[in-house]
Amino acid sequence: MAETAAPFLPRALRGSPWVFHVGTSGCNNCDIEIADCLTPRFDVERFGVRLVGSPRHADVLLVSGPVSLACRRPLQETWLDMPSPRAALLVGACACSMGGYRDAYGVAGPADRVLREVEPGARIAYVPGCPPKPETIIAGLVRLLEAP
Amino acid sequence: MNDAAAVGAALREALGGRVEPAVRSPRRLYASLEARDLPEAARWLLARLPGCRLATCTGIDLRDGVGLFHHFAVNGSPLVITLKVLLPKPDPRAPSLLPLTAAADWIEREIRDLLGVSFEGRPAEGRFLKPEELAGSFPLRRGFDPAASRERTDG
Amino acid sequence: MADPSAPSVIEIGPFHPLLEEPVGFSLTVEGERVVAIEARMDYIHKGLERLAQERTYDMVPILLERICGICSVTHSVCFCHAVEDLLGVAIPPRAAYVRTILGEIERLHSHLLWVGLAGHFIGYNTVFMWAWKYREPVCDLFEMLTGHRQNSAMPLVGGVRRDLPVEHFPAARRILDELEGQVERLTAAVLDDPVLAARLGGVGVLTAAQALDYGVVGPTARASGLDTDVRRDEPYGAYGEVEWKVVTRPGGDVLSKAVVRLLEIPESIRILRQCMDRMPPGPIDLGLLHVPPGEGIGRYEAPRGEDVHYVRSDGTNMPARLKVRAPSFVNIPSFRASCLGAPLADVMITLAACDPCYSCTERAVALLAPGGGPAAGVPGLLEASRRRTLEVARELGRRPAPGPGPDRWEG
């Protein structure tokens, strides 16, 4: 490719994306692998990635788990609380496609559909796996940040 | 008294023959009884077997009624005692074990939410683990159609 | 103007930056004291029991691994125990050893995870980082033996699906040797720390009588002096054949719960070493093809305590009813006894002390704010908890929580 469009995030934000993590009724395995990314072996903080306590401070929303009926609204409101430009990283098979819970009565749908109900053009990246290894999550985040 | 047969015989005697014990193995005792005798049997187990606690309760929608199986475990022993009661449909009611043991609190609320069993003798409480969208329906009942909520996901 | 003496309500959840799962707690406080506490568990409710009734006996253990990411071996093996109880069969000895090895590795990484989180909640982030650093090789060990960091897909009704790669045992032993020294230093550092003893001692006490009344299980019960452990009470796997001991403490406070978990880690390492030494030869599976009508109850000692599964079969290839009672479902409600009357700053660590696993509780529960907004209460509580640690440290005339840089026990 001779020419690529500029990544969607301004350069300053790409250098140190702040993430807010939402577990939407997953089995917590993905949540633990996400937390693993922050601990000494992987330590994504050295790249400027910070887990923040409020969506209002975040550039990227990490979502793990199939979205349960009760989590649907809170997830959408959390997304709308984030300042633009914003992006979502769906971590794990459940967030991407509901995984093994596809046929359960208590799930509202995969996270991308739930987010697109409130913002049809939402920027979403997928990291499949059950759970994805920390290396995969980091690779997914990098791809998301570099995508145009 | 760590043997299922001995506990079964003693329980039957304590309740004047109003329980029907069935011993499947030395570690597993199943005892059928009427719902009104449930608190008395539970009180006897909790008082007479040291370390006895309410482990959980299974609710099942059976063809001829709603089955409520209270499982009691005994600390330090392999024994699990199951008290089985059958509640008539369509409005299953059972006495609450909350006055006897605090463990019954969440266990009974779960069954109330998912199977629609009313537990008599406990304070009114709000929704616990069933989301708003399922208010009025009981996912563990036979008539519940999981496919109805699946349509949402196949869109 | 609101009456300043009236009780105020603090909503916690459902999205919490570190607890990772959505669950709603509502605390009513008068000044600094907690007077009422209520929980909402629907955020994680997915309907797994019903789903399991639409899966065959071969598929169910794979599904049940997804109840909880930490207790994946627990739930799948516990289901197998229930069906094996129904059938009245005993699995081949080699399969029993394989299950025991998987279960103990799981206990190791679960306990290390808890130690880290507990440190985080009281402002000892150094403990958090060290514990999770030591946990990584344990996940590597699981991956080396099963091909996956947490979900092995190995338990099967009547045995296990695959054998363990014996050629990796020497490497596994090296990981355990290294871990043993690390955990020893971590335990010594935690137990010798006067600030931790002052901060956690006497906090969130659950007496033995309350523990029995709430029916709590596992380390939560053992820290209240109840001598209960399914591995010894109803021996399964290899537990009847290897040497180990049940760790109990009489205190009932948060410190006792931490001590019980820390001391269980070396016991797990002991069990693992003996299992690898004595792995018997033979088949790993009974090759069961049919489950007749009947009912069975399975029990299993998860890292958090006794797990109970009830299975009812109607003779088809899918269970007619599967009931899952995870240990957290009986451990969490005990917060009513241990949190009431406690200062607000102690709530976070008291809740965390029973190692709550919300996924298990509603076969899938988590922390989001009622009404949807992110919880303002959680960071506040965390902050209060950490402030309290600093106060305790100052009262003792000590340097507050360890700062960044290499820790003293690592030289």
Side-chain angles (χ1 to χ4, degrees), chain C residues 98-270:
Chain C
V98 172
R99 284 185 185 179
T100 307
I101 289 175
L102 298 183
E104 289 307 315
I105 299 176
E106 180 173 275
R107 196 177 317 277
L108 283 179
H109 83 67
S110 175
H111 280 359
L112 284 170
L113 184 139
W114 180 84
V115 171
L117 287 185
H120 176 80
F121 286 140
I122 54 169
Y124 267 50
N125 260 339
T126 316
V127 173
F128 173 47
M129 292 298 173
W130 280 116
W132 281 56
K133 183 185 171 194
Y134 297 154
R135 182 178 169 269
E136 277 303 316
V138 182
C139 292
D140 291 347
L141 173 61
F142 204 76
E143 188 174 7
M144 191 160 73
L145 297 180
T146 70
H148 196 285
R149 282 163 60 94
Q150 290 93 3
N151 297 337
S152 65
M154 280 167 75
L156 169 80
V157 174
V160 288
R161 240 173 263 272
R162 302 188 301 279
D163 205 346
L164 289 178
V166 182
E167 65 274 17
H168 288 326
F169 280 8
R173 260 178 237 279
R174 280 197 297 277
I175 290 180
L176 291 179
D177 291 345
E178 202 170 315
L179 181 71
E180 192 174 38
Q182 291 166 337
V183 169
E184 213 169 273
R185 285 196 297 277
L186 183 67
T187 308
V190 168
L191 298 188
D192 285 349
D193 190 324
V195 177
L196 281 180
R199 176 72 184 88
L200 303 179
V203 167
V205 176
L206 189 70
T207 65
Q210 286 169 335
L212 192 62
D213 189 29
Y214 279 92
V216 298
V217 292
T220 311
R222 290 196 283 276
S224 292
L226 297 186
D227 190 10
T228 168
D229 192 317
V230 183
R231 292 176 290 172
R232 183 206 53 205
D233 297 346
E234 189 179 337
Y236 54 87
Y239 295 110
E241 295 165 30
V242 296
E243 265 179 49
W244 61 285
K245 59 177 196 295
V246 177
V247 181
T248 60
R249 281 289 177 277
D253 53 2
V254 175
L255 187 63
S256 305
K257 288 168 192 163
V259 171
V260 166
R261 290 199 179 87
L262 281 167
L263 297 184
E264 279 183 8
I265 295 176
E267 291 299 320
S268 291
I269 296 177
R270 255 173 94 191

Side-chain angles (χ1 to χ4, degrees), chain A residues 18-75:
Chain A
W18 284 15
V19 300
F20 183 72
H21 169 224
V22 171
T24 53
S25 93
C27 72
N28 79 24
N29 212 338
C30 294
D31 312 280
I32 289 165
E33 294 296 54
I34 289 171
D36 235 20
C37 294
L38 301 165
T39 51
R41 180 179 284 183
F42 300 100
D43 193 15
V44 290
E45 286 194 0
R46 69 202 149 117
F47 306 127
V49 181
R50 239 191 104 191
L51 198 63
V52 292
S54 165
R56 291 177 204 280
H57 302 157
D59 308 307
V60 176
L61 183 68
L62 289 187
V63 184
S64 56
V67 184
S68 67
L69 293 171
C71 278
R72 190 174 143 260
R73 288 289 302 284
L75 174 62

Side-chain angles (χ1 to χ4, degrees), chain B residues 132-152:
Chain B
E132 256 161 40
E133 288 81 350
L134 295 175
S137 66
F138 300 104
L140 292 183
R141 285 211 183 158
R142 285 174 168 249
F144 180 81
D145 180 14
S149 54
R150 273 176 214 163
E151 279 173 21
R152 193 183 48 243

Side-chain angles (χ1 to χ4, degrees), chain C residues 348-360:
Chain C
M348 212 58 209
I349 187 66
T350 306
L351 281 176
C354 72
D355 200 357
C357 175
Y358 303 106
S359 293
C360 287

